[in-house]
Amino acid sequence: MSALEGSWKEALSAEFGKDYYLDLYNFVNSEYKNNIIYPKANDIFNAFHLTDLKDVKVLLLGQDPYHNENQAHGLSFSVLPGNDIPPSLQNIYKELHTDLGCYIPNNGYLKKWADQGVLLLNTVLTVRAHQANSHQGKGWEKFTDAVIEAINKEDRPIVIFLWGTPARKKKAMLNNPNHLVLEAPHPSPLSAYRGFFGCKHFSKCNEFLQSHGVEPIDWQIENI
């Protein structure tokens, strides 16, 4: 696991000495030695490397990484170029098209969002190959809760997308009046029709940011 830098290092340094994190670190190291784990070890903290705490405009919470080969690279919902666009991301693109008129691109590589201040955070940061949720309950949730708490303390306009039941459970942690919390069903094909489609979260996000003098997000992912 590559080290955190910048304002994340300052905000989260206390976590690395806690018992739960030491147990998590040992567990993850053992998993990488004995199994195929995604993403690559050096990519685990990519969301933090690409979007420093001081630059976060939007928090987009996912669950755990994609578990097939060459998909996950440390950003929630994003896949490396050359992969099919996963179903949930296809639905995110459909909502973006309806909401903001974005064309649907030919890839699922979301680094452009991260570069603009969208923290693409999974609540669990590693997974065993072809075994969804296999690293749940090992300590990652405590670590990413600390991330959410750090964002909650930021006294500036931040938009938080909570899509799906696990993400919406984090709402109790989010009590900063400077922030906008937007909730919807998950964009998964199983639930997108229950209210994710038509939620207009992307335009609401940009309207909120602009109303507070913050540069909006260019949500258009370009074709490769």
Side-chain angles (χ1 to χ4, degrees), residues 85 89-110 112-113 202 218-224:
I85 301 170
L89 184 53
Q90 290 181 26
N91 286 339
I92 291 170
Y93 285 164
K94 288 176 184 176
E95 176 60 21
L96 269 169
H97 177 69
T98 302
D99 187 13
L100 292 175
C102 296
Y103 70 81
I104 295 175
N106 63 4
N107 68 93
Y109 188 51
L110 304 182
K112 178 182 175 179
W113 293 356
F202 302 101
D218 176 5
W219 293 104
Q220 179 67 68
I221 298 295
E222 284 83 15
N223 286 334
I224 294 176

Side-chain angles (χ1 to χ4, degrees), residues 8 46-53 55-56 113-115 117-119:
W8 284 122
N46 268 355
F48 306 100
H49 298 325
L50 292 172
T51 312
D52 200 14
L53 174 57
D55 300 322
V56 173
W113 293 356
D115 289 339
V118 181
L119 183 66

Side-chain angles (χ1 to χ4, degrees), residues 48-68:
F48 306 100
H49 298 325
L50 292 172
T51 312
D52 200 14
L53 174 57
K54 64 178 172 48
D55 300 322
V56 173
K57 297 179 183 179
V58 180
L59 170 61
L60 178 46
L61 273 180
Q63 294 178 32
D64 71 336
Y66 298 119
H67 53 80
N68 290 326

